[in-house]
Each structure stands twice: as structure tokens, then as C-alpha cells.
Amino acid sequence: MSASTKEKLLEGALRTLVEQGIAKTSARTIAATAGVGQGLIFYHFGSVDELLGAACRFGAEQRVARYRDRLAELDSLAGLLEFAREMHAEERAGGHVAVLGQMLAAGQGSPALAAATAAGLGLWIEELETVLTRLLAATPLAGLTDPAGLARATAASFVGIELYEGVDPLGAGRALDALEQLAGLARVLEELGPLGRRAVRHGLRRGAGT
């Protein structure tokens, strides 16, 4: 019963964030969404912030698990970029990216929420780093890029586009359209022969001063 109640609270916290936003998320609204008494929040988690932090990680675990097999099946950078656009649309429709954005904003004034949100994003970053390391190894970029840094930049962009879309939908659409251009560039890199790959690597090394 305890585990079931905790899961109801975690799911209730996520639903409240999606449906009402961080400003209206409280012990009362979460408890009402979860269908339990407010006191159970403090019994199981100690505070609303602790519950929200746990919910952020819980939600990230669920979302990452949903896409893990599909990420493992990707065999090209172009495929990854196309998948990223599809995933963004799916996650936006479910309100999941908005939750991360709200948690990031709330974390500016709460070290506990900041740490929990970073941990949730860390699950995404870990998966992205794994797939980027594997896919970059088959391109002229192997050894010349930082998969860990790229994974963090990708995660930050994923959330940023969602926030940007709220104030400039057309601009956000153009940002997503640019992914198609990057996908084309990725295809060219992946289709280069040995001489072309060496030329690209040489040019990149010169540009980096190595």
C-alpha cells in the first residue's frame, strides 16, 4: 500500500505540473490530483519540493525507458536527428518537456529542486551520450568531438526550444527545421569515402589548432 501511495503521489505531482503549472502546484492540488490526503505527501516525502524532485526523476526514468530501445536501434546521425524531431513532438504533446522547463525555472530558487532536475536530465544525457559515442565513431568526427558535451548541449536545446515555442512558435519551428539541414549534412559525412573522410578530419584538426 505504501509503494502504491507513493507512486500515486509521484504521478499526481507530474500530472499537476502538466495540467496546472508550477505556480499552482501545491500539497493541496497534488493531493487532489492523486486522490489522497495531503498529509501523505509529508509522510512519504517530507515536503512538496522533495516530492517534486522525486517526481522529476520518476518521470525521466519512465520517458527514457520508453525510448531506450529505439535509441539503441539508430544506426546513423541522420536517423538520430530525425528521431529527435519526432520525439520532441511526442514529448511536447504530452507536456513532458514543459515539466522539465518549469522544474528548471523553479530550481533557480531551490537547491533541492535544482539537484533533482539535474538528476532527471542526467538520465537523458546518459542515454544521448551513449548513442552519440556509438554513432560518431563511424564518422570523420570520431575522436574530434566531445560526445558528453554534445549530449548536454542537445538536452539543453531540447528544453530551450520548448520554452522558446511558447513565445515565438514560428521561430521555434525554424529551429526544428534546421534539424533537417543538419540531417542532410550528417548523411554527407556518413557517405564520404576514405579520402573524403581524411580531408574532413584534416580540416577539422587545422580548425581546432591540433
Side-chain angles (χ1 to χ4, degrees):
M1 180 64 71
S2 177
S4 176
T5 300
K6 290 182 72 171
E7 189 163 318
K8 282 183 179 180
L9 287 167
L10 292 168
E11 292 173 348
L14 290 172
R15 282 178 52 205
T16 303
L17 284 169
V18 169
E19 295 169 4
Q20 303 190 45
I22 191 70
K24 295 183 179 179
T25 296
S26 64
R28 181 183 61 79
T29 55
I30 293 172
T33 301
V36 301
Q38 291 185 46
L40 291 173
I41 293 175
F42 305 99
Y43 176 78
H44 287 290
F45 296 96
S47 69
V48 172
D49 277 4
E50 290 294 330
L51 168 56
L52 291 177
C56 181
R57 184 175 180 86
F58 174 76
E61 288 171 347
Q62 289 186 317
R63 306 314 298 168
V64 168
R66 176 180 177 83
Y67 298 111
R68 183 171 289 125
D69 288 345
R70 291 168 65 185
L71 285 168
E73 292 171 356
L74 295 173
D75 59 5
S76 69
L77 289 174
L80 174 60
L81 289 166
E82 291 168 3
F83 169 73
R85 184 158 191 172
E86 293 172 9
M87 185 174 66
H88 176 268
E90 188 173 326
E91 291 296 286
R92 181 182 181 277
H96 305 294
V97 185
V99 167
L100 275 176
Q102 292 183 70
M103 290 292 290
L104 284 167
Q108 303 303 306
S110 169
L113 284 182
T117 306
L121 279 171
L123 296 175
W124 283 106
I125 290 168
E126 182 179 343
E127 293 293 325
L128 288 170
E129 183 177 348
T130 297
V131 71
L132 283 169
T133 299
R134 175 170 58 81
L135 296 179
L136 286 168
T139 75
L141 303 177
L144 300 176
T145 53
D146 174 20
L150 285 174
R152 284 162 173 77
T154 301
S157 298
F158 195 73
V159 178
I161 287 176
E162 168 70 18
L163 298 177
Y164 183 33
E165 197 163 31
V167 296
D168 184 3
L170 292 177
R174 291 185 65 182
L176 288 171
D177 289 341
L179 289 177
E180 301 297 334
Q181 298 172 2
L182 289 176
L185 175 60
R187 289 190 189 93
V188 171
L189 288 174
E190 289 163 344
E191 293 169 1
L192 285 174
L195 290 177
R197 286 171 180 260
R198 281 199 292 271
V200 170
R201 289 180 64 82
H202 179 68
L204 289 172
R205 285 198 177 99
R206 288 186 60 186
T210 59

